[in-house]
Amino acid sequence: MVKELIQKIKEYKNFLITSHINLEGDAIGSLLAMRALLTSLGKKATMVVSEKIPQEYNFVGDTHLIKRLDKIDYSKYDVLIVLDCSDQMRAEKIIEAFGKGKPIINIDHHISNTYFGDINWIEPEASSTAEMIYKLYEKLKVPLNRKIALWLYTGIFTDTGSFHYPNTTSASHRISSKLIDYGLKVHNIYRNIYQRKTISDVRFLIATISTINSTKDNKIIWFKMRKSLFNKYKPSSDLTEELLNFGRLIKDAEVVVLFKENSYSNTINVNLRSQGKIDVNKIASYFGGGGHRSASGCKIKGNLLDAERKVIAKIKQYL
C-alpha cells in the first residue's frame, strides 16, 4: 500500500491535507510534517481543519499555515490526504467540501479504521501517524531538519502519552532518539504541552475531578464534564488527558472513562482508557466509535445519565 501511496504522490501536483476534529499533537505534527514532505518534492500542499489549533501547540511553529475550512477553494486540489482519522465522520466537513470524484488518501494507525479512502495506508502497530510519516520520509529519502523533527516528535510524544501508553514500542523510541538528535529540547516540549495551564484550568480540573465515581472494586473509574463547568471556568484548552491520567493513578483501575456534555448538541462524548487488560476499542465500537485497544472514544445521543448507564454496563461485561 505504501508503494501505491508513493505513486500517487508522484502523480499528483496539488494536495489538500486534513485531520480529525478535536485536534491534538499527533494530528498537528502529522499535518505540518506531511506538508513539508510534499513541498520538498515540488508539490503544492495546503493544510485545512474545521477547528482552531489548540494554543498549547503554537510553540511548534507554522500553525498559522493551517487554514480553516471556509478559507479554501476546494476545486484547486487534485487529492485529499486525511491523517490520523479512524473514520470519515471525524473529518466529515472537509471531506464533504472536497466533493466526490477525486481521490482520498487515508493514512492512519487506529485499529478501528474504516478504510474509507481510495488508498488506505493503515498501520495499527505504529504508535502514531507521525511515526508512519517518518517512515515515508525515509522511503522517499527526503531529509529532515530541526523543525520537521519537532513536528514528528510532538506527534509520537503525545500519542504515546509521553512514552508510557501500551502503544509505545522499541520503534517509537528509536525514531524519537533520531529526532532528538536534531537538537530538540524535550523538557521544553513537555512544558509547552502539559505545563501551561491557567488558574481557571486548574479550578476546572478540580471541579471535574470532584465528580469521580467508581464501581465497588474500583476497577472502573469515571468522571463527568458538565457544560455548566465549561461556562463557569472557561478552560483555555482541552483537559481530557489530564483528567483521564488522574483516574489512572488509582491502583485497582482497569478502565477510566470521561463523559463530556456537548455544548451544541444533545450528545455525550465518551473517552475511554484502559490499563491494558480491557480492549476499550471494542466498547467504543459497540457505540459507533473506535480507536485503540487502550484508548478509544465514541459519541452517544442523550444525556449524561443515559450515557453513563449504558457505557458502564457495557464495560462491566468485559471485566
Side-chain angles (χ1 to χ4, degrees), residues 28-29 32 56-63 147 150-151 154:
I28 295 164
L32 291 161
E56 61 263 36
Y57 291 103
N58 289 338
F59 78 97
V60 301
D62 288 3
T63 55
K147 186 178 282 189
L150 173 60
W151 296 333
T154 298

Side-chain angles (χ1 to χ4, degrees), residues 213-269:
N213 282 279
S214 70
T215 51
K216 288 183 179 179
D217 56 9
N218 294 328
K219 288 188 175 181
I220 308 173
I221 304 295
W222 67 98
F223 306 97
K224 287 174 279 193
M225 191 182 283
R226 300 183 183 277
K227 286 187 288 188
S228 58
L229 293 180
F230 272 104
N231 296 332
K232 181 177 180 179
Y233 295 106
K234 297 179 173 55
S236 65
S237 61
D238 182 25
L239 299 169
T240 297
E241 291 304 323
E242 285 82 355
L243 286 159
L244 292 167
N245 287 336
F246 189 88
R248 281 171 155 160
L249 295 174
I250 298 168
K251 72 171 185 174
D252 295 321
E254 292 291 345
V255 180
V256 181
V257 191
L258 175 62
F259 298 94
K260 294 190 287 187
E261 279 186 316
N262 273 310
S263 299
Y264 305 107
S265 64
N266 185 33
T267 57
I268 305 299
N269 286 340

Side-chain angles (χ1 to χ4, degrees), residues 26-27 41-42 49 84 106 122 217 279 291:
D26 192 24
L41 296 170
V49 296
D84 196 42
N106 171 19
I122 313 301
D217 56 9
D279 184 350

Side-chain angles (χ1 to χ4, degrees), residues 133-155:
I133 294 174
Y134 174 88
K135 295 176 185 177
L136 198 55
Y137 269 84
E138 285 195 323
K139 289 182 180 297
L140 288 166
K141 295 181 170 56
V142 174
L144 300 176
N145 57 36
R146 186 184 180 281
K147 186 178 282 189
I148 296 167
L150 173 60
W151 296 333
L152 293 173
Y153 183 87
T154 298

Side-chain angles (χ1 to χ4, degrees), residues 164-197:
H164 73 264
Y165 290 169
N167 62 332
T168 304
T169 64
S170 57
S172 50
H173 277 299
R174 284 195 300 272
I175 292 168
S176 297
S177 175
K178 293 176 182 178
L179 297 173
I180 290 170
D181 285 343
Y182 282 89
L184 303 187
K185 304 297 184 185
V186 175
H187 63 287
N188 286 337
I189 296 170
Y190 182 89
R191 181 159 176 74
N192 274 292
I193 297 172
Y194 298 117
Q195 296 181 333
R196 297 291 185 190
K197 307 308 178 191

